[in-house]
Amino acid sequence: FFFFNDTATTEIYTEQIVGSVRCVQETGRESYRRNTTLICYNFFKNMLMILPTFWFGFENGFSGVRIYDAYIFQMFNIFYASLPIVIYSVYDEEFITPHLEEMPNAYIQGMKNELYNGFILLRWIVNGGLQAIVMYIGAYYGVEGNFYSQDHGHSNDIWVSGMTVYSALVVLANSKIVIFSNSFSFLSVIILVGSVLMYVLQFAIASLFQFFDVHLYFGRMFNQGLFYVSLILISVSCTFVDLAIDKFIYFTKLNRKSFKIGSTTNVNLPELSDKHLQERRHTGFAFSQEEPLTKNQIKQSN
């Protein structure tokens, strides 16, 4: 198998190849799971971001009126919803790596496309669309139609309701990652919180300049309790519904597959005969002719 002249070199390369196979075995399943979630999440957050403007079209006669500030809108996929999903796609772990070698059933989900198929992708898209409806209704009818007494009796306008939708969008996009994550670290928590704070900081800066659509709106929004009530109700309602759906599907799959760490009772392995079950003695030479051991000899050696 190996074309080396000394046993030491053969053993070194053998250990490297075995280690590479073990790396693929341990990380391949987790990488597949994380990448499928990454793809579905991108569809979810973009539906969550775009559809409120579509629902608003029924109110403005599809005249093209915007509800988001153009500058802050462009920052969503750059600062507010980018790094948290990257950290998840690289570091999240559903099972401890050494346990995967003892859980062959954990790899069935990849072979049967249980994590990525047409139904799952459609479920993520529909989920994003439904949450977009909740965000729009909660902000438009809960904030804009109420008077803002601290601003000389002026009522909240389109930019207050639009940025309330956008604030809920940033919160929901990051809380969704918290829902489907299996492990957390200090770095992931800092990035999640930092993404939301980055939005608040940039919103505050944009409200200082007249050439932005949200000029002076930061103080108007964050000084009224109605904004916080609407934001909390929108975020909590969407998050709890999302959490209930995801956890129901997770536990349903868990009960059906019956994953059990350290047990392979769910795998039907064929009975190996003496002809198929062979193990070679190590004689210290790379090209030595080694005699295969039978099953009885292997049991005696153990």
Side-chain angles (χ1 to χ4, degrees):
F1 183 75
F2 298 104
F3 299 94
F4 304 109
N5 295 326
D6 59 284
T7 305
T9 305
T10 301
E11 292 180 350
I12 292 174
Y13 278 87
T14 301
E15 292 179 356
Q16 292 180 353
I17 293 177
V18 172
S20 299
V21 173
R22 182 176 291 110
C23 179
V24 173
Q25 180 183 8
E26 294 174 352
T27 62
R29 187 259 183 191
E30 289 292 274
S31 296
Y32 168 76
R33 178 186 60 82
R34 292 191 294 259
N35 288 331
T36 55
T37 305
L38 168 65
I39 295 173
C40 294
Y41 172 77
N42 285 330
F43 281 93
F44 167 81
K45 71 182 179 71
N46 286 314
M47 295 293 290
L48 205 64
M49 176 180 62
I50 297 299
L51 283 184
T53 60
F54 173 75
W55 305 130
F56 181 65
F58 292 96
E59 297 288 342
N60 61 33
F62 293 94
S63 60
V65 177
R66 294 179 288 106
I67 60 174
Y68 303 144
D69 178 82
Y71 166 75
I72 298 179
F73 176 75
Q74 298 297 327
M75 298 297 105
F76 178 74
N77 284 319
I78 300 176
F79 294 107
Y80 314 146
S82 57
L83 285 180
I85 189 61
V86 172
I87 297 299
Y88 167 86
S89 302
V90 176
Y91 296 108
D92 186 73
E93 288 186 350
E94 185 176 10
F95 299 104
I96 300 177
T97 301
H99 290 167
L100 286 175
E101 296 182 357
E102 304 173 0
M103 301 171 61
N105 279 350
Y107 296 86
I108 296 178
Q109 60 184 9
M111 294 183 289
K112 293 185 177 181
N113 296 325
E114 295 181 354
L115 297 182
Y116 185 75
N117 52 54
F119 173 76
I120 292 177
L121 183 60
L122 180 62
R123 178 169 61 85
W124 280 78
I125 294 175
V126 171
N127 189 10
L130 292 177
Q131 294 191 32
I133 296 176
V134 175
M135 287 195 309
Y136 172 73
I137 294 177
Y140 185 80
Y141 293 99
V143 176
E144 186 172 343
N146 292 274
F147 285 95
Y148 181 55
S149 59
Q150 295 183 8
D151 190 25
H152 306 289
H154 294 170
S155 62
N156 292 325
D157 55 13
I158 183 178
W159 293 114
V160 175
S161 60
M163 294 311 297
T164 302
V165 173
Y166 197 87
S167 301
L169 167 64
V170 174
V171 174
L172 290 175
N174 288 279
S175 63
K176 179 66 175 178
I177 300 177
V178 177
I179 292 175
F180 59 66
S181 295
N182 297 282
S183 60
F184 297 94
S185 63
F186 179 77
L187 177 63
S188 63
V189 174
I190 291 298
I191 291 179
L192 281 169
V193 177
S195 298
V196 179
L197 294 180
M198 178 65 70
Y199 159 68
V200 176
L201 177 62
Q202 291 189 353
F203 186 13
I205 294 175
S207 65
L208 297 177
F209 301 94
Q210 295 183 356
F211 52 84
F212 288 114
D213 296 326
V214 292
H215 175 56
L216 300 179
Y217 274 87
F218 181 83
R220 288 186 58 183
M221 290 177 56
F222 284 85
N223 285 332
Q224 59 174 310
L226 185 60
F227 165 73
Y228 296 100
V229 172
S230 300
L231 181 62
I232 292 174
L233 289 178
I234 293 172
S235 302
V236 170
S237 59
C238 292
T239 300
F240 269 91
V241 171
D242 203 358
L243 181 62
I245 294 175
D246 286 351
K247 293 305 178 182
F248 174 78
I249 295 175
Y250 174 77
F251 285 114
T252 301
K253 291 182 179 180
L254 192 66
N255 292 331
R256 185 174 69 250
K257 295 179 180 180
S258 300
F259 283 164
K260 186 179 293 184
I261 297 178
S263 174
T264 59
T265 56
N266 294 328
V267 181
N268 296 322
L269 298 177
E271 183 67 24
L272 300 180
S273 60
D274 292 341
K275 181 180 179 180
H276 298 90
L277 185 60
Q278 295 180 353
E279 179 176 306
R280 296 184 179 277
R281 295 191 184 94
H282 177 68
T283 59
F285 298 95
F287 299 99
S288 61
Q289 298 296 325
E290 302 161 347
E291 297 180 357
L293 296 177
T294 64
K295 186 190 300 185
N296 295 330
Q297 292 174 336
I298 293 175
K299 291 181 179 179
Q300 292 177 0
S301 63
N302 294 333

